[in-house]
Amino acid sequence: MPNNPSGTGEEVVGDADFTPWLLAPAPSGPCFGGIPSTAGKVTGGGQIGSDPVFSPLGDLLSLPALIPSLAAPTSQATFGFVAKCCGPSGNLEYNDHEAEVRIKAQSVDGLFISSPGSSCPSTPGSKHATFTGIAAVIRPTVTTTERYTVDVDDCGEPGSADTFGITAGSYSNGPKTLIGGNIQIH
């Protein structure tokens, strides 16, 4: 017979010792489920064979890669990025021109690489990468600071089957297959 007949769960009866829980050290490491970052490097942009180039202020200077815009599938969003580990570092610039949303990384704090690629699991050698951090999400009327996550798949060369997706607190697009450019996961 339950000790709590109202149906909200069992009542704790007797001496419950919460001391071990209260004295245990806080978890350490990255917040991505406590999973440590993966050693490696991930790049994406409009050129093949070299990393995207950024100005000292973090602006993308080289050709961007392209995916469909969130606002209009016939419009394009452009991006370029480099993410490395260990320790996590890198840069990201994303611009959904039609939606008037620009996402510019302020930090990269995690990089996680796995195989095979999520969108191309039957492609030999395909890989998936997720990188996370803090970004400025820039709109015509306001700029906010938000956590972001980028998910990419490297489905082989020349990049025509590669995918890119980005999620921030107030914006999400993809993952979508690239219209132009290349993702490389090393």
Side-chain angles (χ1 to χ4, degrees), residues 74-171:
T74 57
S75 297
Q76 297 174 345
T78 57
F79 66 89
F81 68 85
V82 175
K84 305 178 211 179
C85 186
C86 283
S89 64
N91 209 336
L92 161 73
E93 184 170 334
Y94 172 87
N95 193 342
D96 187 334
H97 304 273
E98 186 72 22
E100 296 185 311
V101 175
R102 185 172 164 220
I103 300 175
K104 191 172 179 179
Q106 296 174 337
S107 69
V108 173
D109 59 19
L111 171 62
F112 313 94
I113 298 172
S114 60
S115 187
S118 299
S119 64
C120 49
S122 61
T123 302
S126 67
K127 293 182 181 176
H128 176 83
T130 299
F131 65 94
T132 59
I134 302 292
V137 179
I138 305 159
R139 293 182 167 86
T141 57
V142 67
T143 298
T144 55
T145 301
E146 302 176 18
R147 285 208 58 77
Y148 72 88
T149 299
V150 169
D151 284 292
V152 296
D153 279 346
D154 180 354
C155 298
E157 300 309 316
S160 57
D162 294 353
T163 62
F164 175 92
I166 187 167
T167 301
S170 64
Y171 178 89

